[in-house]
Amino acid sequence: MMVRVSATVENVSVIGTGYLGATHAACMAELGFNVVGVDIDPEKITSLSAGDLPFHEPGLPELIRKHVTGGKLRFTTNLDEVGAWADVHFIAVGTPQVRGGTGADMTYVDTATTDLARAITKDALIVGKSTVPVGTAARLADLIAETKHPEVNLSLAWNPEFLREGFAVEDTLTPDRLVIGTTNTHDEDTLRSVYAEALDRDTPWISTDYQTAELVKVAANAFLATKISFINAFAEVTETVGGDITTLADAIGHDTRIGRKFLNAGVGFGGGCLPKDIRALQTRVAELGLDHSMRFLDEVDQINLRRRKKTVALAFDTLDQDVIGKKIAVLGITFKPLSDDVRDSPGLDVAARLFNAGADVAIYDPQGNHNAAKRYPRITYNDTLNEAVTGAELVILTTEWDEFKTLTPEDLNHKVTTRRIIDARNVLNPHHWENAGWTFTQLGRQSPHD
Ligand code: UGA
């Protein structure tokens, strides 16, 4: 990778070293900047400095170790130190769903921004990357102006992040677009120099105002969520009238205006972003008196949550409505493969519902067991697929890890007690399983084809 640092920007800080921040910090170091990641949690700083991450993200620990060892990247709890040093400060703290509500919890962003503004003693640009309700950047710009040292020139830009878990490094180093909300050309030029390498590759550069930049982020996630729920709503129809949702998705996906991506029907979407973002967006527009505009997102949410209930109902149907004491192997409880994230995970929700109904649930996930066990300590977690499926009366595939996608009936035939499987991600070949004597069920596929 070509290393290129502008004459003006050399030192970069990243406030918040969670998923977004740790990735951004490592990638900025990879681009050649001197980077300091800041977090309030000293334990996190110690483990990050050793390249130990509290989450699973392919390629990221290696990148962190490379730049910590090479001296380009370090971590600290000391905001004053970076305030006197960095040219650009990225804010990458979380905006989780507020406890007991649907809006975004802005405590971390607000605190990080004001603490940072207070600590900055050198002219700099603050760049917000967190996913926020529209109107936040303008509000923060006022807060910064009130809080900063009078002699320091400090301004704010908004630069949303579109990285996917599991592809975080790739998405950060080679983004498909860069969106920059600024109030002046000087700040835009600063960010052009930060992202010079991506611009050299002709990465689309969208320069806009704060509001548009904030909205682009939530609009993208709302669109993706809607696309998934759209196909899942049709799955509800094919489940009733007959038909094959996968063939339907393939057929409409050939229309390039529609596209095949994010049309995989199944147990639906989860994770730390899509569910909370569509809820926060509805809450925000309602505050603005526009609740009707995003009302459809409530339906998107409901369709999505119904898929989990449907999967549980299929388990009951498959077991003749009697799940008590029956061993059910649940394969995959992260919200998607290549992640250990179980936040709002459809698979974990299905497992917990069956467990609460009295089933003997045995979970196996290649990465997610430890996080799930923190939430549901009483469920059984197995270290191997083999242990989970041995003696099972039903197997449910809830996350499409490669290890599960490539499963064949021969792998399981002599381990399970009864040959029943629900493929809640529609990734297995129905004929192979039916031909091997399995009761095989998918979501939205009544007359499956190869
Ligand atoms: C999502 C967006 O894709 C990123 O662009 C965005 O930056 C990120 O949120 C964020 O806001 O930080 P991510 O949460 O990592 O990324 O996950 P996705 O790959 O979008 O998958 C979300 C969920 O949708 C998963 O549970 C997945 O299983 C499900 N999904 C995806 C389907 O059910 N069907 C599909 O066809 C595709």
Side-chain angles (χ1 to χ4, degrees), residues 131 161-165 217 221 224 228 262-264 268-270 273-274 277 335-336 400 425:
T131 302
E161 179 58 56
F162 304 101
L163 66 80
R164 298 160 297 167
E165 293 192 15
K217 168 67 193 191
N221 277 0
L224 294 173
I228 299 167
F262 273 67
L263 282 182
N264 295 323
F269 61 80
C273 301
L274 264 47
D277 287 354
F335 83 105
K336 68 174 192 180
E400 70 281 27
R425 289 289 180 179

Side-chain angles (χ1 to χ4, degrees), residues 88-160:
V88 175
H89 303 268
F90 288 98
I91 294 193
V93 295
T95 50
Q97 191 170 322
V98 77
R99 215 172 258 277
T102 48
D105 183 349
M106 296 304 295
T107 323
Y108 306 104
V109 168
D110 288 5
T111 309
T113 307
T114 43
D115 287 354
L116 178 64
R118 244 179 243 123
I120 291 176
T121 51
K122 170 187 174 181
D123 292 356
L125 176 65
I126 299 178
V127 184
K129 289 202 82 66
S130 310
T131 302
V132 293
V134 62
T136 298
R139 186 174 60 77
L140 293 179
D142 288 344
L143 264 182
I144 291 167
E146 285 163 25
T147 324
K148 73 178 187 71
H149 291 275
E151 70 284 5
V152 172
N153 291 312
L154 202 53
S155 56
L156 178 74
W158 212 261
N159 167 219

Side-chain angles (χ1 to χ4, degrees), residues 205-219:
W205 176 266
I206 292 111
S207 169
T208 184
D209 48 65
Y210 285 160
Q211 293 88 331
T212 310
E214 292 165 330
L215 284 170
V216 168
K217 168 67 193 191
V218 286

